Amino acid sequence: MTRSNKDRTEATRTALLDAARALFVDRGYAATATPDIVAAAGVTRGALYHHFEDKRALFLAVVEREASTVAAEIEARAAPETDARKALILGARGYFDAMSQKGRTRLLLLDAPAVLGSERAAALDRRNAEASLRAGLSNLLRDEAGRLLDQMTALLSAGFDRAAVEIAEGGDRAAYEAAIVCMIDGLCPR
C-alpha cells in the first residue's frame, strides 16, 4: 500500500518535531543546530524549511504540542469528576504526571519564555493548562472569590509551575501535591 502525499507530509513533520524535541531536551535550544535536527529526523534541510520558517518556529511547534499534551492529560483526569474540588485535585495530579515527562518542564517553563519571550509563552499556557485550571476554578469559586477568577487563576497557575520546576529538580512531589490541595481548599473554606 502506498502512502498518500498527506501521510508523507505528516510523517516528515512528526519526525522533525520528535527529533527537535529530543535534541532541545538533551542540549537546549541554543546548542541545537538545524543540521543536527534534520540528521536526527532523517530528512533534508529543505524538508525542515518546507514545514517551518526557522528553528524558532520549529521550537514553537514543539512547545505547542507539549502544552497541548499537558492540557489533554489534565482534562482526561478532571473531566469524569463532578465535584469541583475533586476535579481540581485530579487535574493537579494530571498536570504533575504530564510534567514528569522527561524534559517537559525545561521546554515549557524554562526554555519557552527564554526563546519565545515571556508574553508568548504565557499566552501559550493560557490556551492550554491555564485554561483548564481557569475552568476548574470557575466551577469552584463563588461570591467574592469568583470575582477574582483571573487573579486566582494566574496565582495558582504560577504555583503549579513553580512546583513542577521544584519537582523536576528533585523536590518531593507528594509534598507539593499536598501544598496545592491546601491552596485549593483555602480558596473556598468549607
Side-chain angles (χ1 to χ4, degrees):
M1 182 190 301
T2 60
R3 293 186 334 175
S4 71
N5 222 13
K6 182 179 177 185
D7 291 340
R8 285 190 298 277
T9 298
E10 187 56 35
T12 299
R13 180 177 168 77
T14 299
L16 284 164
L17 289 169
D18 291 345
R21 184 198 190 283
L23 290 169
F24 291 147
V25 167
D26 289 344
R27 299 179 183 175
Y29 176 82
T32 299
T34 56
D36 297 331
I37 295 169
V38 297
V43 300
T44 64
R45 284 180 64 97
L48 169 67
Y49 293 111
H50 172 76
H51 290 279
F52 304 100
E53 180 180 339
D54 55 18
K55 183 174 83 167
R56 189 170 182 265
L58 175 57
F59 180 79
L60 174 60
V62 167
V63 296
E64 284 176 336
R65 186 175 73 166
E66 294 293 310
S68 177
T69 300
V70 171
E73 181 68 22
I74 293 166
E75 292 297 323
R77 293 290 182 84
E81 184 55 59
T82 57
D83 177 82
R85 177 186 175 276
K86 287 181 184 176
L88 275 167
I89 292 168
L90 291 172
R93 288 188 187 128
Y95 174 78
F96 290 127
D97 284 347
M99 293 303 286
S100 70
Q101 177 75 29
K102 181 183 185 239
R104 190 168 279 155
T105 298
R106 177 183 185 170
L107 288 170
L108 293 175
L109 302 181
L110 303 175
D111 291 352
V115 174
L116 304 173
S118 59
E119 183 49 43
R120 192 158 193 193
L124 178 68
D125 188 39
R126 280 191 298 274
R127 289 190 309 270
N128 289 283
E130 194 171 299
S132 298
L133 176 60
R134 187 179 205 291
L137 287 172
S138 178
N139 290 331
L140 179 72
L141 299 175
R142 304 218 178 354
D143 303 324
E144 183 62 31
R147 288 188 280 279
L148 299 172
L149 179 62
D150 291 341
Q151 294 79 11
M152 297 286 226
T153 301
L155 290 171
L156 195 53
S157 178
F160 273 101
D161 291 349
R162 185 65 202 165
V165 170
E166 292 294 329
I167 293 166
E169 293 177 356
D172 181 355
R173 177 177 166 171
Y176 281 101
E177 282 190 23
I180 290 289
V181 171
C182 287
M183 291 171 66
I184 290 168
D185 286 345
L187 296 174
C188 292
R190 296 181 185 262

